[in-house]
Structures are given as structure tokens and as C-alpha cells.
Amino acid sequence: MTNEPEQKATGQLILIVDDERAIREMIGLALQQAGYRYLQAANAHEAELAIREDHPDMVLLDWMMPGLSGAEFARRLRRQEKTRTLPIIMVTAKTEEEDKIRGLDSGVDDYIAKPFSPGELIARIRALLRRSTSSNDSERLEQAGLMLDTASHRVLAGNIEIALGPTEFRLLKFFMGHAERVFSREQVLNHVWGDNVFIEDRTVDVHIRRLRKALESSGHDKLIQTVRGAGYRFSKTP
């Protein structure tokens, strides 16, 4: 784990996790030029220590690493209370659509394939941090036996807390705030992810599936309905 004491940037702190030093330094330079601070970790163990000690605002996570893979590490972070909502972008050489779906299924919020331009990476970072910040506005929504509280970032079904990652939380917040309305994938992207040309329509389907899976235990997964040929809606009744 390597801190960068010479940096003068005072922006948000981003942890770069990659076993290739050259990649870490390239990303670090791009982050520094964009006004971010950064830390480096070569593997999941170093990353875990950095998260515990330095509390980064975001993690850039390589998939293929020795020992614990990036996908497995992302799943571990999502299972832990303190890192459940930590924004994660997976950075990987895997480019097939199936790989992207597997990456998103591991709990990450976004996925960028190598090689990538520093400009694209910074745009994705800014978009995700902006979404994460906006979701912290204080609001409480109640629909169909679900209670969503943005201040505490909790979702309750009765007395049972439902664990959601940050993207699924924003998705549920959007749907609960617009119950019974049908939204196309493009509309969901624009409202939940913002005007970000890098995000694909397929990403919506992956996160919808993850949201439904999280709601299964309380039986609320059936409230997230697919409207054939139109998109998705949150219904107050199954």
C-alpha cells in the first residue's frame, strides 16, 4: 500500500487496486491532474488495510489479481456494513458482454475495459461520485410495506433491513418515488445514472436483477415489474 505524500490535490480520495505498478501510476497521474488524491494497493489484502485506515471515497478495482480476485473482493466489500455503499469501478481487460455482466453482478457500480483513455476514466469517476453524493440528500419514502431512508441509507421491510449496494439503493429510491409509472431503460439511465454516454442499456437490466434478488427475502421482488416492450415499473401491488 502506497500513499502519495507529494500530492497537492485536496479533492476526494480514491484507492487504486491493481497488481501492475505501471497501471497504478498511470491512473494516479490522471487522478492527480483532475484534482483527486489517491492511494495505491497491489492486491486485495493491501486494499482492505487502506480502506480500514484511510476511508477512501471510491475504489478503482482491477479484476485479475493474484490471490483474491477483484470480483471476489467486491463481493466481500458489499457484504460488510461499513463498505456496503462504497463506490466501486471495476477496471479490467475482460471486454466480453458476459464478463461485464459478471463484473456488475459482483457488486461494482461501473465497469471500464482496458485500454481506456484517462478522460473516459475521469468522466466515469465524476459521474459516480456525483450520483453517490446526491443520494445522500435526506428523504424518506414508504411504499407497499417498504421504507427507504436516504439519511441513514437503510431499506426496511417491516423490521427486516434489506442490504442494498449504492446503485440498487438509488434505483429503488427512483422507483419508489415514481410508483406505477413505466420507464424505459433509457429513462432509467438518465434519471438514476445521469446523462452519461458511457453507460450501456444492458447495465440497467443487471442492476434490476440485483435489486430483485435483494428484495426476494421479504417478497418485495415482485413489485419491480417488467413491462414487455416498454421498460420497468414499481407497482404498489404484486
Side-chain angles (χ1 to χ4, degrees):
M1 180 177 62
T2 305
N3 202 338
E4 302 295 330
E6 74 278 4
Q7 297 173 111
K8 296 181 180 179
T10 58
Q12 289 158 300
L13 181 62
I14 297 176
L15 173 62
I16 307 166
V17 189
D18 197 301
D19 60 324
E20 295 187 39
R21 182 179 179 86
I23 297 293
R24 297 199 307 269
E25 291 180 348
M26 181 271 288
I27 294 175
L29 178 61
L31 291 174
Q32 187 174 8
Q33 290 175 341
Y36 296 104
R37 297 175 298 129
Y38 67 92
L39 298 168
Q40 298 182 33
N43 52 53
H45 175 67
E46 290 185 4
E48 202 159 32
L49 292 176
I51 291 169
R52 187 183 309 151
E53 296 174 3
D54 298 289
H55 310 290
D57 298 292
M58 174 184 284
V59 175
L60 300 179
L61 181 62
D62 184 35
W63 187 328
M64 303 298 291
M65 296 188 297
L68 197 67
S69 72
E72 291 169 328
F73 185 53
R75 292 189 185 94
R76 176 184 294 182
L77 293 177
R78 289 294 176 248
R79 288 194 297 265
Q80 298 173 7
E81 177 69 24
K82 292 184 178 180
T83 54
R84 187 197 312 170
T85 62
L86 179 64
I88 303 172
I89 295 179
M90 181 166 281
V91 183
T92 176
K94 292 177 174 286
T95 58
E96 297 297 324
E97 182 178 6
E98 182 179 342
D99 293 323
K100 292 181 181 180
I101 294 172
R102 287 176 57 207
L104 290 168
D105 274 340
S106 70
V108 304
D109 300 284
D110 199 359
Y111 183 111
I112 185 168
K114 300 175 183 176
F116 53 85
S117 71
E120 180 183 359
L121 177 62
I122 296 302
R124 286 177 180 254
I125 289 170
R126 285 175 176 158
L128 180 52
L129 287 173
R130 185 166 57 247
R131 297 196 303 267
S132 299
T133 301
S134 64
S135 68
N136 291 330
D137 298 336
S138 181
E139 187 175 356
R140 183 186 178 105
L141 298 172
E142 295 190 40
Q143 295 280 10
L146 285 177
M147 189 281 291
L148 181 148
D149 188 342
T150 57
S152 62
H153 205 281
R154 290 180 181 275
V155 175
L156 297 175
N159 295 323
I160 301 173
E161 182 172 355
I162 298 173
L164 295 179
T167 301
E168 287 70 46
F169 185 89
R170 289 193 303 272
L171 221 113
L172 182 59
K173 176 185 174 184
F174 170 68
F175 278 130
M176 289 179 67
H178 301 84
E180 302 297 348
R181 289 182 55 186
V182 178
F183 293 93
S184 67
R185 289 184 180 88
E186 184 178 359
Q187 289 173 319
V188 174
L189 278 174
N190 289 337
H191 283 90
V192 178
W193 279 263
D195 187 13
N196 187 342
V197 297
F198 300 115
I199 302 296
E200 302 172 359
D201 286 358
R202 180 71 175 182
T203 301
V204 175
D205 300 330
V206 174
H207 287 286
I208 289 285
R209 187 169 70 247
R210 280 168 51 182
L211 176 58
R212 284 172 171 159
K213 185 175 181 180
L215 295 173
E216 276 182 358
S217 60
S218 65
H220 287 86
D221 55 305
K222 297 179 179 61
L223 301 180
I224 310 296
Q225 299 177 350
T226 300
V227 181
R228 188 178 298 275
Y232 296 102
R233 71 169 166 235
F234 179 94
S235 178
K236 296 179 182 179
T237 56

